[in-house]
Amino acid sequence: MTRVVVVNRDRAAAEAAATILRHAGYEVELCAGPTVDPCPVLSSLPCPLVDRADVLVYDAWAGGSSDGGRRLITDVRETYPDLPVVLTSVDQRLDWVEVEGPHRVTPIVGPLDERRFLAAIEGALADQGMAV
């Protein structure tokens, strides 16, 4: 079974994403992110949750701000370059989101829509390993 880690400081949003994923057959683990819990990745350490994951779903604002999100995603991509990352809550304020290269993510712009969300997960999994 494909394991997804959902990182979102908004518990309700994390649960909504997890429900969609579980109904689609994914195994899901939740993380509140570095504004709630210490994040080993921000200290250049591996994360036990991420180590078990096949794909990561990060809220773009999980780092607390645009700059915090950028730092978090950059550190995740540096530590786990082959692990696909889907980035939710993307909007025009996030000029750092990359869709190509080593810091590539699969962005979802706007509110979480089940069809687009699952398509992004599948697309990111299909693209796995292409970011390096």
Side-chain angles (χ1 to χ4, degrees):
M1 182 177 288
T2 302
R3 184 183 304 255
V4 182
V5 172
V6 175
V7 180
N8 195 318
R9 61 189 177 158
D10 180 335
R11 182 74 177 179
E15 288 293 345
T19 298
I20 291 169
L21 292 165
R22 287 184 183 115
H23 285 162
Y26 293 97
E27 188 173 332
V28 180
E29 292 191 78
L30 301 178
C31 173
T35 61
V36 178
D37 295 315
C39 179
V41 174
L42 291 175
S43 298
S44 300
L45 298 170
C47 172
L49 284 177
V50 176
D51 286 342
R52 295 188 300 265
D54 298 301
V55 62
L56 306 172
V57 175
Y58 274 81
D59 179 81
W61 302 92
S65 66
S66 177
D67 287 339
R70 177 181 51 218
R71 178 174 175 231
L72 178 60
I73 296 304
T74 297
D75 288 356
V76 166
R77 299 311 293 146
E78 293 290 325
T79 306
Y80 298 96
D82 292 330
L83 199 55
V85 176
V86 173
L87 193 64
T88 62
S89 303
V90 174
D91 63 34
Q92 67 278 4
R93 296 174 289 172
L94 303 174
D95 60 358
W96 53 266
V97 176
E98 297 181 33
V99 296
E100 295 180 358
H103 295 143
R104 166 175 37 223
V105 298
T106 302
I108 298 176
V109 178
L112 199 59
D113 165 86
E114 181 176 351
R115 183 188 54 76
R116 288 186 311 126
F117 183 41
L118 293 174
I121 296 290
E122 289 302 317
L125 285 165
D127 202 31
Q128 185 171 3
M130 299 299 290
V132 293

